[in-house]
Amino acid sequence: MSDDSDPFDYFDRATGADTVRNPYPEFAEQRRRCPVQKVDLRAMAKGISEEQAQALPNVYQVLSHDLVSQVLRDGQTFSSSFYSNTMGAVMGHSILEMDAPEHGRYRGLIQKAFSKKALERWEDELVRPIVNGFIDRFVERGRADLVRELTFPFPVHVIAGMLGLPHADLPQFHRWTVELISVGFDWETGVRASQHLAKYLQPFLDQRRADPTDDLISVLAHAELDGQRLTDEEILAFLRLLLPAGAETTYRSTSNLLFGLLSNTDQLEAVRNDRSLIPQAMEEGLRWEPPLTGIARVCTRDVELAGVQIPAGSTIGVNLGAANHDDTRYEDPERFDIFRPARQHMAFAFGPHRCLGMHLATMETEVVLGSVLDRLPGLRLDPAAVDIHITGQAFRSPRKLPVRFGAQ
Ligand code: HEM
């Protein structure tokens, strides 16, 4: 990637934006044939030698709700160490790639900082002012692009605020976070962003070790695991995970929820008139269009799933999107319906690695939706806008959400 290209656009395109509009019929078709599918890498990697083809890993996808939950619950058979050769290369040894017992000990240490109780303070001090600050900039205009002007920028401001990083650094900091997760298709850019981020964050860490404040870096710098403090490497790995984990997903999930409501105006009206519907609307948004459609594990032993023999060492693609659209569990799964019966979805995954930031993401989304409804009366999709839709394969969201509100 060249220095002057837009890393966000580059990332979107590489993860299927504008090429994949709706992967769900294909997922459903595969699931009906068999909920475990062998992925034919040989056919995908055209032009490689026989020797290279022999060296390709075995990759299987699981597509039903039951199998996704079985795989995610059983961390002993389906290990998260898959990430050590991918995201681990740019994040370091983070919680994402740890297995039991290391994972449990590490998670126990940091999860207090992400509990509902700990988040109360961030809601009033940080999230609400940030969200309102963005809305202030367009509220008088009567029209806006809610993606560019609200959902895309706000989550990275929240993370940076929680870490106590200076406001002026945000554009650069945001750019590095998306470059970091581009590592899967642009190794050099990912590794360079990782080094930049470590260099950028280290002085903040040194300073918080010496002189703690009440921000998240200070909490991590002074947390103790079995009587020992986390090392700089461990903290930097967590921080490099937190940025993309917290920003990229929340931006897309709030966009998807707003799109679901704006394109189903009766449901938007219902939520506008009865705010107690917000939690179920958020859950349905996450079920209907999870921002991240898949995660991965590696098999630690030979195993059989749905009658398919899977050898040890195989990669398992855990298709969260397909699980959320499993028609044996959700009636008419492609329909956005905030009134459907509440059933556990997989957007935040499941089991030991279930999203650590889910309460934060939920609180942020609640603030966004509440503020948008309070401050933008008559909110509707801009009638002049053509063909607004959700797009993408691995990450999914609308590219833009042009709206009008007020008397305009
Ligand atoms: C709607 C927004 C979000 C979604 C859909 C989401 C989704 C996920 C998923 C699917 C995983 C499991 C990954 C795996 O096991 O392979 C995960 C883990 C994680 N998420 Fe989130 N996430 C969201 C927001 C956040 C936020 C706001 C933060 C924090 C600021 C966060 C931090 C994390 C962390 C630290 C993990 C690793 C947990 C572990 O390995 O034990 N996430 N998330």
Side-chain angles (χ1 to χ4, degrees):
M1 185 173 59
S2 66
D3 283 347
D4 55 357
S5 66
D6 175 353
F8 304 102
D9 187 56
Y10 178 62
F11 181 77
D12 273 356
R13 287 182 195 284
T15 55
D18 297 341
T19 46
V20 180
R21 178 150 179 164
N22 181 4
Y24 288 107
E26 170 72 15
F27 293 162
E29 174 53 31
Q30 291 182 342
R31 190 177 49 244
R32 263 191 292 275
R33 271 189 274 132
C34 178
V36 177
Q37 293 281 330
K38 179 144 199 226
V39 179
D40 190 354
L41 288 186
R42 199 184 263 248
M44 288 157 86
K46 290 190 184 85
I48 58 172
S49 68
E50 185 50 36
E51 201 185 347
Q52 287 168 321
Q54 293 291 340
L56 286 172
N58 283 314
V59 181
Y60 295 80
Q61 267 218 78
V62 292
L63 298 123
S64 72
H65 190 281
D66 285 353
L67 287 179
V68 163
S69 101
Q70 180 184 335
V71 167
L72 294 180
R73 254 196 318 250
D74 181 0
Q76 228 178 348
T77 310
F78 304 101
S79 162
S80 290
S81 64
F82 165 82
Y83 294 117
S84 55
N85 292 326
T86 52
M87 286 304 163
V90 285
M91 289 173 181
H93 183 55
S94 79
I95 185 171
L96 190 69
E97 64 178 58
M98 293 177 189
D99 289 324
E102 182 189 27
H103 175 259
R105 280 193 285 123
Y106 191 92
R107 186 158 166 140
L109 184 77
I110 50 181
Q111 72 184 3
K112 224 169 71 195
F114 291 90
S115 66
K116 276 192 187 161
K117 183 93 198 95
L119 294 174
E120 276 169 17
R121 124 165 207 244
W122 298 117
E123 177 171 348
D124 291 332
E125 281 177 25
L126 196 66
V127 178
R128 226 169 260 292
I130 287 173
V131 169
N132 277 316
F134 281 111
I135 296 179
D136 285 345
R137 296 185 200 172
F138 59 75
V139 68
E140 298 301 332
R141 205 191 306 144
R143 58 168 68 191
D145 174 358
L146 290 183
V147 169
R148 194 167 42 84
E149 299 183 74
L150 178 61
T151 58
F152 175 70
F154 94 88
V156 77
H157 280 71
V158 171
I159 303 277
M162 289 175 77
L163 298 178
L165 304 176
H167 206 257
D169 299 345
L170 266 161
Q172 179 59 69
F173 175 71
H174 199 176
R175 189 180 162 112
W176 283 330
T177 68
V178 79
E179 287 177 353
L180 188 78
I181 50 172
S182 304
V183 67
F185 45 86
D186 188 340
W187 183 263
E188 256 177 48
T189 299
V191 170
R192 207 168 4 145
S194 163
Q195 290 160 352
H196 282 310
L197 271 168
K199 220 161 120 191
Y200 170 72
L201 292 166
Q202 184 71 54
F204 292 100
L205 179 51
D206 294 341
Q207 206 247 332
R208 303 304 199 279
R209 285 225 196 262
D211 186 13
T213 63
D214 57 357
D215 63 30
L216 197 54
I217 298 186
S218 303
V219 172
L220 294 167
H222 293 272
E224 287 194 5
L225 185 59
D226 298 338
Q228 284 188 323
R229 293 243 167 106
L230 294 170
T231 63
D232 284 8
E233 266 316 301
E234 285 169 321
I235 295 177
L236 290 175
F238 185 68
L239 296 177
R240 280 180 296 202
L241 161 65
L242 209 54
L243 309 170
E248 197 59 33
T249 47
T250 312
Y251 129 56
R252 294 179 192 274
S253 66
T254 44
S255 310
N256 292 348
L257 172 61
L258 288 170
F259 176 70
L261 290 169
L262 285 163
S263 48
N264 292 273
T265 48
D266 52 335
Q267 298 183 50
L268 177 65
E269 256 335 278
V271 179
R272 200 199 304 277
N273 295 330
D274 179 1
R275 301 298 165 88
S276 72
L277 295 174
I278 287 182
Q280 70 197 64
M282 294 195 302
E283 288 303 297
E284 174 61 356
L286 285 163
R287 183 210 64 83
W288 177 62
E289 279 288 2
L292 171 66
T293 58
I295 57 179
R297 298 292 187 261
V298 60
C299 280
T300 57
R301 60 177 175 86
D302 293 349
V303 66
E304 185 191 313
L305 285 178
V308 177
Q309 300 296 331
I310 302 180
S314 301
T315 297
I316 304 289
V318 183
N319 194 324
L320 306 173
N324 278 9
H325 282 234
D326 185 336
D327 58 5
T328 61
R329 190 175 167 89
Y330 306 101
E331 200 189 322
D332 195 3
E334 291 208 25
R335 196 181 71 231
F336 174 81
D337 178 3
I338 65 169
F339 298 107
R340 70 170 65 243
R343 301 196 77 181
Q344 167 86 52
H345 60 71
M346 287 292 164
F348 288 124
F350 196 63
H353 286 270
R354 188 162 186 217
C355 178
L356 185 69
M358 59 182 278
H359 298 308
L360 174 60
T362 306
M363 178 264 275
E364 289 179 83
T365 311
E366 204 161 354
V367 170
V368 168
L369 185 53
S371 310
V372 158
L373 291 174
D374 285 342
R375 299 193 61 197
L376 309 178
L379 182 72
R380 58 208 178 274
L381 275 178
D382 188 333
V386 185
D387 195 23
I388 303 302
H389 60 272
I390 291 174
T391 179
Q393 177 81 21
F395 288 89
R396 285 180 60 73
S397 57
R399 302 273 264 169
K400 52 187 174 184
L401 270 182
V403 292
R404 295 205 177 207
F405 41 88
Q408 298 284 320

